[in-house]
Amino acid sequence: MRRSTLLGLAGFLLTGAAFAQTPNDYASLTSRFDAAINPTEIGGWLKLMAAEPNHVSSPHNKANADWILKQFRDFGWDAHIETYQVLYPTPVSEALDIPNLNGKPWSAALQEKPIPGDSSATAKDYALPAYLAFQGDGDVTAPLVYVNYGNVDDYKRLEQLGISVKGKIVITRYGQGWRGLKVKLAQDHGAVGALIYSDPADDGYSVDAVYPDGPMRPPQGFQRGSVADMTIYPGDPLTPGVGAKANAKRLTREQSPSLLKIPALPISYGDAQVLLGAMDGVVAPDNWRGHLGITYRVTGNVPVHLAVKSEWSLKTIYDVIATLKGSQYPDQWVVRGNHHDGWVFGASDPLSGQSALLAEAKALGQLVKSGWKPKRTIVYTSWDAEEPMLLGSTEWAEDHADELKKKAILYINSDGNGRGILGVGGSEDLEKFVSDTLAGLTDPETGQSVDARRRARLRMAGPMADEHARAMGRQAADPSRNMPLEPLGSGSDYSAYLQHLGLATLDYGYGGEGRSSGVYHSRYDTYEHHSKFVDPGFVYDALLAKTVGRAPISPRPLANMSAK
Ligand SMILES: [Zn+2]
């Protein structure tokens, strides 16, 4: 049975996630905790974990899981790895070409070339090429239709223009909506294939200089990702609702509703320029035009060939689970997670958050070694296979659903992190708890309090913002009121805990002043890019560790409540 967030929360607030006896203890605990967080060490861990490609089923991603396990044990935690067998297709072959472009054949570059001085040039292992996991394999040839961002309103506009995508290959740009929906809508409207590119207007040269001179996406960079129909259910497409153990009952691929049917690829804006530039039909509406040096058109006559073939066997994934047992309420769990798999190196997404999580684990381990005892059990997790479809976190939640429903009182998530202002999402009932744990946290660059910076940003929601954002702004403007929290949707590992188990959930991350968007899910999300453009000195990754670590050592008053 689904337990309501409210019920979980009532227990949480009454008993607190508290482990300290008095506020004085808390002050001493937090200062000892903070003293154990070392930005240089965090940077070293990040460099080590991001040295080679870390996609699901890659050797380095597995080596990272083993290394993370060893770290937890060295820090004094009881830790183990749990494995699941999930459907995760990997590309075998792919092609995108124009057989005859002005008398010559042309083909797209479906790998990003290495950049000297960057991990993309020094790594030895295989990097995934352009790829959209859970697209449908196929081999098609058809003219293109440009559909802007490829969302519902864009198809309405297309209909007004009297243009159909039936039998055509759709080309759409990233932004203004979930990537999977772009391919799904193309499929639903009868397209036979789909291409998604990143327009320089959105995350390329129109924003800032491109990598390696600046942080933004270079002409050859592209955004990998999942296009599974996540709105149906996250997790393994073949085992909805149950843990994907070896002996689990499985759907066939044909039965799975979350897999798409048409071939699809992400491409660079360098290649998009050629494809869009070869179109010769109807000129695109004003607000459909990006910043490439071409006339944007909706239709064209040049046939384009798109072929994708994947290998669809089950792959083993590795979740690291580490525990510090509670001394007083061992059957009340505070669960904390971040994923460790990436699309390529994954330095910003997710290893910046993973490194912060390790720093917390080390600091908590040191507190335990110095005599501190958590009253409740703390469970730290390092998820595998978040990128394809929240696989590691969802399968663990499904596998342990009964126990989690009885014991878990809070799930705390993080993912990629960077320079900037605190983002924290969760249910309204957790506002008091979050407000309390922000006390004493200071921004490393400005010296302002984390609380003040976040309130200032929320207050900037202007008249054009939606009503909810303006309400948050009004609440943030009143220092006597609790810190407002963003409502949580989906898109990271908290999904199964919030939406399936109904747990009280928080999601933390700093950002907005670093520049990770230009390398998001590309081969250039590297240690070099992160340390230069996203979090120089790793001070915000360290701040994330201090911020999240406040929760398990929080001073919320203990009530005389036994385990639920
Ligand atoms: Zn991530």
Side-chain angles (χ1 to χ4, degrees), residues 72-96:
F72 276 120
R73 287 178 174 165
D74 289 352
F75 299 156
W77 294 62
D78 184 7
H80 65 280
I81 285 182
E82 293 190 33
T83 61
Y84 297 96
Q85 275 70 43
V86 298
L87 182 70
Y88 173 67
T90 49
V92 174
S93 64
E94 37 187 53
L96 176 63

Side-chain angles (χ1 to χ4, degrees), residues 326-528:
S327 59
Q328 201 167 331
Y329 307 111
D331 287 338
Q332 294 184 20
W333 297 0
V334 174
V335 186
R336 154 87 174 108
N338 194 106
H339 70 104
H340 62 78
D341 66 300
W343 277 112
V344 190
F345 302 98
S348 290
D349 177 12
L351 295 174
S352 55
Q354 182 64 53
S355 302
L357 180 149
L358 282 176
E360 297 157 33
K362 182 175 181 179
L364 291 170
Q366 282 184 6
L367 291 182
V368 169
K369 281 175 192 162
S370 71
W372 172 69
K373 287 191 184 116
K375 288 197 165 58
R376 289 173 182 73
T377 295
I378 306 175
V379 182
Y380 264 47
T381 61
S382 175
W383 308 122
D384 199 357
E386 187 266 1
E387 293 294 0
M389 196 153 72
L390 318 179
L391 297 171
S393 55
T394 304
E395 296 314 311
W396 195 76
E398 290 173 346
D399 193 19
H400 297 274
D402 291 342
E403 193 171 18
L404 285 165
K405 280 180 199 160
K406 283 192 206 107
K407 298 179 179 173
I409 56 172
L410 175 67
Y411 176 75
I412 306 171
N413 194 66
S414 67
D415 198 325
N417 188 63
R419 183 170 170 257
I421 294 167
L422 177 66
V424 51
S427 100
E428 238 172 80
D429 312 300
L430 290 170
E431 286 175 352
K432 168 80 176 125
F433 174 75
V434 170
S435 300
D436 287 351
T437 57
L438 294 185
L441 289 167
T442 311
D443 181 79
E445 287 187 8
T446 63
Q448 283 186 313
S449 80
V450 164
D451 181 282
R453 291 202 89 203
R454 177 172 159 82
R455 285 180 188 270
R457 184 182 64 79
L458 294 173
R459 287 171 67 179
M460 283 169 65
M464 298 298 284
D466 64 43
E467 171 49 30
H468 186 78
R470 282 183 283 135
M472 283 176 71
R474 288 192 295 274
Q475 182 175 336
D478 181 351
S480 72
R481 295 180 69 193
N482 290 324
M483 177 64 78
L485 307 179
E486 285 95 2
L488 289 176
S490 183
S492 192
D493 287 308
Y494 57 79
S495 202
Y497 300 86
L498 174 69
Q499 284 140 7
H500 297 191
L501 299 175
L503 278 179
T505 299
L506 289 170
D507 184 50
Y508 286 92
Y510 286 84
E513 295 172 344
R515 280 279 166 81
S516 59
S517 62
V519 296
Y520 177 66
H521 290 187
S522 90
R523 198 180 184 180
Y524 311 126
D525 178 5
T526 56
Y527 171 78
E528 292 76 17

Side-chain angles (χ1 to χ4, degrees), residues 81-297:
I81 285 182
E82 293 190 33
T83 61
Y84 297 96
Q85 275 70 43
V86 298
L87 182 70
Y88 173 67
T90 49
V92 174
S93 64
E94 37 187 53
L96 176 63
D97 47 84
I98 301 179
N100 181 359
L101 179 66
N102 305 321
K104 281 190 290 194
W106 172 88
S107 54
L110 298 174
Q111 182 53 279
E112 298 157 298
K113 66 175 191 286
I115 290 178
D118 184 66
S119 295
S120 56
T122 54
K124 306 276 181 294
D125 291 357
Y126 163 84
L128 273 184
Y131 192 55
L132 294 172
F134 301 114
Q135 54 79 49
D137 287 352
D139 188 330
V140 296
T141 301
L144 298 178
V145 177
Y146 173 60
V147 297
N148 194 28
Y149 290 106
N151 57 36
V152 173
D153 286 344
D154 293 324
Y155 281 94
K156 282 188 193 145
R157 188 70 201 267
L158 214 55
E159 207 179 309
Q160 288 166 356
L161 293 169
I163 295 166
S164 164
V165 302
K166 212 166 176 17
K168 305 286 185 359
I169 296 172
V170 152
I171 180 166
T172 172
R173 54 171 159 163
Y174 270 114
Q176 298 196 5
W178 154 242
R179 150 189 348 100
L181 197 58
K182 295 172 191 282
V183 181
K184 176 77 163 48
L185 284 173
Q187 176 179 295
D188 291 350
H189 284 84
V192 295
L195 303 170
I196 316 179
Y197 82 101
S198 307
D199 199 280
D202 297 309
D203 62 17
Y205 53 67
S206 296
V207 182
D208 202 339
V210 303
Y211 196 58
D213 300 326
M216 300 316 293
R217 200 176 295 275
Q220 75 278 14
F222 45 76
Q223 183 192 135
R224 296 160 188 77
S226 173
V227 293
D229 196 353
M230 189 142 25
T231 51
I232 299 177
Y233 54 86
D236 177 31
L238 304 186
T239 59
V242 296
K245 289 304 215 186
N247 58 358
K249 201 161 169 278
R250 285 182 163 75
L251 302 176
T252 63
R253 257 169 68 199
E254 292 67 33
Q255 289 168 328
S256 170
S258 54
L259 301 176
L260 296 189
K261 307 266 189 285
I262 60 172
L265 282 179
I267 60 171
S268 69
Y269 62 83
D271 283 334
Q273 172 141 357
V274 176
L275 291 163
L276 293 168
M279 295 170 76
D280 53 5
V282 179
V283 172
D286 274 9
N287 59 354
W288 283 34
R289 298 171 199 167
H291 288 186
L292 289 169
I294 53 164
T295 300
Y296 282 74
R297 294 175 191 274

